[in-house]
Amino acid sequence: MTLMSMHEKLWEMANNLWWSWHPEVNNLFAEIDPIRWSQLDHNPVLLLREFQPEQLEKRAKELVLHSRVNWAYRRWQEYMASTKTWGGTHAGVLGQRPVAYFSAEFGLHESLPIYSGGLGILAGDHLKSASDLGIPLVAVGLFYTQGYFKQSLSPDGWQQEAYTQVEIPTLPLEAAHDKQGQELRISVSTRGGTIYARVWRVNVGRVRLYLLDANVPENSDEDRHLTARLYGGDQRTRIRQEVLLGIGGVRALAALGIQPAVIHMNEGHSAFAGLEVIRARIKEDEVKFDDALRDAANGCVFTTHTPVPAGHDRFNNDLIEEHLGPMRDELQLSHDALMSLGRVQPQDHGEAFCMTVLAFKLSRRANAVSALHGIVSRRMWASLWPWRSDDEIPIGHITNGVHVPTWLAPQMRMLYDRVLPSNWSQRTSDPQMWADFDSVSPGELWETHTTLKNGLITYVRSRQAIVARKNNLPEHVVEELGNVLDPRVLTIGFARRFAPYKRAGLILNKLELLSELINDPERPIQLVFSGKAHPADEPGKRILQEIIHISRDSRFKGKIVFLENYDISRARHLVQGVDVWLNNPRRPLEASGTSGQKVVLNGGLNCSILDGWWAEAYDGSNGFAIGTGRTHVNSDIQDRRDADDLYRVLKEEVIPLYYDRDRDDLPQAWIKRMKRTITTLGWRFNADRMVMDYVRETYVPAAGGLSCETKVR
Ligand SMILES: *Cc1c(COP(=O)(O)O)cnc(C)c1O
């Protein structure tokens, strides 16, 4: 082996996102230049570009980094080469033909802005766990050159959106090449012309993620911007993006010589992939459409993610004919036959084409993302199978989980290292393993939590000061803003997308009551909010503005704080440092929710409506429930009731428990609940368990289904 320089080793590690879930590598980058590291969005490619190799060598010598870099590099090489994995034993049938995981967004790290919220983070966590477990899986998505927007606020608290073009060389992207060694180009024809895309490759541990990018000279000016923004533009932009993702994605894999055994559609955005599989099958084997459809559906898995109508794309006749016309010619389908694949009532000419319906019709296996969401989805889509009763509707559920190494605070990880079995990180889905956490000393757990909470407050203060300076506020205001929040006060976090059903403003329902809680002289509370509203979501923006206005009210100043520009980095700080995580969606609209699961790992307590994952997680002693799960057809009444229940649980349960201290100022009963949350929930709501479920319940059967059919033929 030739000797590699420090620069080369760090550079290689920077080009595989594996570094992002290994704090020891993270720290190496941070130590090279802590200030630049935080200014550069924790992007090691950008950081390393600022150093000449000799300069870096010198810096490494000063900081005595050599042996740590060598050690990290060796660990990474071992990880990449390891064959003794869970997937090696349990996903063998997949063999050389991987699962292809399709998603419109991937939330892997704050420096790669191709995600907007929970769906993307979930996809990112799925890839990381698939890599850790050694599952043969490749992923397909779109590369958005402007990503999702950066959020700031007008003086009046109205959300402002800014888009910046990312420079390719500043990201861990490599151009993908075809079998002839040429830079890969794929294309999809429409009635109005052809859309071209190039393909980038991102390394996520052992998993390769391919991102299609329409910004190529072959495209019209309009199409060069097609993939500029995630969830931007109108219906036409949306269908063109989805044609590229689904059809273009399958073509990209074929051009790369990858023949997936299973297609996993993460949400309906990528459902056109199934049509391309059918088309290829017909072309290859000259089978009839119906036979090709049955065959393709055997190998397709679909995960539906929301009961909220806006989450289900619908396209009219003209858009479908323009973009799927050439496809239906090859499939030899009439326009109406194609449309009927996207309709609940195939003969209803007034019904638009729905991507979710298409996905259900093209997949033999489909699942919702929590037990409750399973029930809701079976009811919601029952008319697709009119001859079946509700419990026979073929939609199962696999509850979402989060990637432990990504969301666990380094300080908490050290505690895990001390009290859990030494191989704990390979056994996160094992309840027995987590049971050991019960033996942690209360003082030690509380001290770790307090350190993390102080870290969060310091972070929020510095962000407030930075924003205030940027807005040219007078220095005394900057100082005041840099002093918000009190580390001794019970701190409640609320951060997620500002979709109205999530009801960010619920706790503001009765300001008098809230003021009493916040300004209680003995047992006060304080709130940190964060989150973006979709640019077209006026009601969401109004909720955000209301929170800003209230946070400036003299009763709440410094005690209700809004942290701008919610992203993965801010999420990490929040989920690791809060005492309580508040989640109050309008049941049953939160299909799963995952941010509360990140909080669990770090010892924070969830206070949540019994919706999504919390409906199956809460057992009376591992967090707090708002209400009992009952709903009302009138949403105003439901909101009012839920707000009352929220105040009640805060006043009667959360606050007394938090401030009940022993002689050493330890809240013993609270700490017991922290332990309960980790021991009862850690093993269930993590992404390793989730990916294992997908492998056993969907990937392996789907792959088997395909190979069986092949044998019969
Ligand atoms: C986890 C996460 C989400 C999802 O939050 P929910 O409460 O599940 O909606 C959204 N955005 C970011 C940045 C996250 O880290």
Side-chain angles (χ1 to χ4, degrees), residues 254-415:
L256 290 162
I258 298 170
Q259 294 183 304
V262 178
I263 303 266
H264 185 173
M265 305 168 194
N266 186 49
E267 195 52 301
H269 306 120
S270 55
F272 292 139
L275 292 180
E276 173 61 11
V277 172
I278 296 172
R279 190 197 64 85
R281 183 85 172 76
I282 291 176
K283 193 166 163 216
E284 215 172 279
D285 287 344
E286 295 176 26
V287 289
K288 287 209 217 50
F289 177 81
D290 285 350
D291 294 330
L293 167 64
R294 198 174 312 112
D295 200 18
N298 257 325
C300 287
V301 172
F302 170 50
T303 303
T304 179
H305 281 272
T306 181
V308 177
H312 303 273
D313 290 319
R314 287 187 165 80
F315 301 117
N316 66 27
N317 281 288
D318 292 348
L319 283 177
I320 291 293
E321 178 56 24
E322 181 188 350
H323 294 98
L324 277 299
M327 167 68 81
R328 82 169 172 80
D329 291 347
E330 290 198 59
L331 297 177
Q332 298 187 5
L333 292 178
S334 68
H335 172 70
D336 208 46
L338 177 65
M339 283 301 289
S340 71
L341 288 171
R343 288 183 188 139
V344 177
Q345 307 295 336
Q347 311 305 330
D348 178 356
H349 294 260
E351 195 181 321
F353 185 100
C354 174
M355 293 300 280
T356 311
V357 173
L358 179 69
F360 277 123
K361 292 191 180 181
L362 297 186
S363 313
R364 195 164 134 204
R365 289 169 187 83
N367 69 283
V369 291
S370 72
L372 179 60
H373 180 228
I375 297 169
V376 171
S377 300
R378 286 189 286 279
R379 204 175 300 147
M380 182 168 170
W381 298 106
S383 42
L384 278 173
W385 297 272
W387 60 93
R388 295 188 181 205
S389 66
D390 264 13
D391 55 351
E392 290 174 341
I393 301 299
I395 306 174
H397 80 270
I398 292 176
T399 304
N400 286 344
V402 296
H403 184 245
V404 177
T406 295
W407 297 104
L408 185 63
Q411 294 88 332
M412 199 55 124
R413 175 196 282 253
M414 293 197 299
L415 203 54

Side-chain angles (χ1 to χ4, degrees), residues 494-515:
F494 182 104
R496 44 184 60 79
R497 290 181 303 113
F498 267 49
Y501 79 87
K502 291 178 183 266
R503 300 189 298 189
L506 191 76
I507 197 170
L508 313 174
N509 192 289
K510 290 193 177 136
L511 282 184
E512 277 309 310
L513 265 174
L514 183 62
S515 172

Side-chain angles (χ1 to χ4, degrees), residues 129-200:
S129 272
S131 169
D132 290 347
L133 294 168
I135 312 298
L137 184 142
V138 296
V140 180
L142 297 178
F143 180 66
Y144 307 97
T145 38
Q146 299 180 13
Y148 201 54
F149 67 92
K150 285 213 159 65
Q151 178 194 55
S152 61
L153 298 169
S154 75
D156 194 29
W158 194 251
Q159 175 176 289
Q160 311 290 306
E161 296 107 23
Y163 291 89
T164 41
Q165 186 92 10
V166 297
E167 304 291 331
I168 305 267
T170 67
L171 293 172
L173 303 179
E174 304 161 29
H177 293 87
D178 61 20
K179 286 174 246 172
Q180 285 75 42
Q182 299 290 318
E183 252 191 37
L184 184 59
R185 282 287 189 279
I186 57 99
S187 64
V188 182
S189 328
T190 71
R191 289 279 189 242
T194 302
I195 309 172
Y196 296 88
R198 59 180 159 184
V199 183
W200 301 106

